Amino acid sequence: MSGFSPGAVSVLFVVFGVACLAGVSVTGVFLDRFPRSALTAAVATQAVGMLGLYAFGAHQVAAVVFLTLVGGALGPVFMTTQNAMLHCAPGRTDIALAANSGAYNAGIAAGAALGGLILPLAGVRGTFLAGGLLTVGSRAVLFGGRPLRERRRPERSTRR
């Protein structure tokens, strides 16, 4: 965050946190009615934020806007995946919650490791590009996939 004073960086963290809280609040309104759309919207928002940081992150105002988008998507991504896990839980919600937390933390660790490898080679902007492209890829998987309920065909009876 070169170009930002230490005080401005503190304000950015506050803006990021408030955006995360706002994202969770907005997503909570729609999550029960539109769980799949809520997840894909959160992932798309994250992708726009990261790719925007790659493209326009050198400009302070743009950096704040795109960091706000990333912050607004952070909480909703976790919340919507947790909601999906609870809907397909095998009767033990504690196991589903633990699996979601474990997967989310593994994703954070993998992203940090990948970012650590990319950062010295491509710089900060390249790291945001890689993260944004991975997020676009995950968005494509979400957009192309269908829930298991929709894939199942009704069983036909062999009786006549």
Side-chain angles (χ1 to χ4, degrees):
M1 297 199 194
S2 63
F4 287 98
S5 69
V9 171
S10 297
V11 171
L12 281 175
F13 283 122
V14 171
V15 168
F16 187 87
V18 169
C20 186
L21 180 62
V24 167
S25 299
V26 169
T27 302
V29 173
F30 298 106
L31 187 56
D32 282 339
R33 285 191 170 182
F34 310 104
R36 190 159 177 79
S37 296
L39 177 58
T40 54
V43 172
T45 301
Q46 179 178 322
V48 169
M50 293 185 91
L51 292 173
L53 283 167
Y54 163 71
F56 305 107
H59 307 288
Q60 287 187 0
V61 173
V64 171
V65 169
F66 291 115
L67 277 171
T68 302
L69 286 176
V70 172
L74 180 67
V77 167
F78 181 77
M79 187 171 76
T80 55
T81 57
Q82 184 169 315
N83 183 54
M85 287 292 275
L86 289 173
H87 281 287
C88 66
R92 298 278 316 256
T93 56
D94 54 341
I95 293 173
L97 292 173
N100 186 61
S101 294
Y104 195 77
N105 287 321
I108 289 171
L114 184 61
L117 293 172
I118 294 171
L119 187 61
L121 300 173
V124 174
R125 291 185 66 212
T127 305
F128 278 118
L129 175 62
L133 292 176
L134 285 170
T135 305
V136 167
S138 67
R139 172 66 171 90
V141 169
L142 285 170
F143 187 70
R146 294 188 319 238
L148 289 175
R149 289 185 302 269
E150 293 176 10
R151 278 191 223 159
R152 292 186 186 149
R153 295 178 186 222
E155 294 181 17
R156 292 186 178 176
S157 173
T158 55
R159 293 179 156 173
R160 297 212 178 223

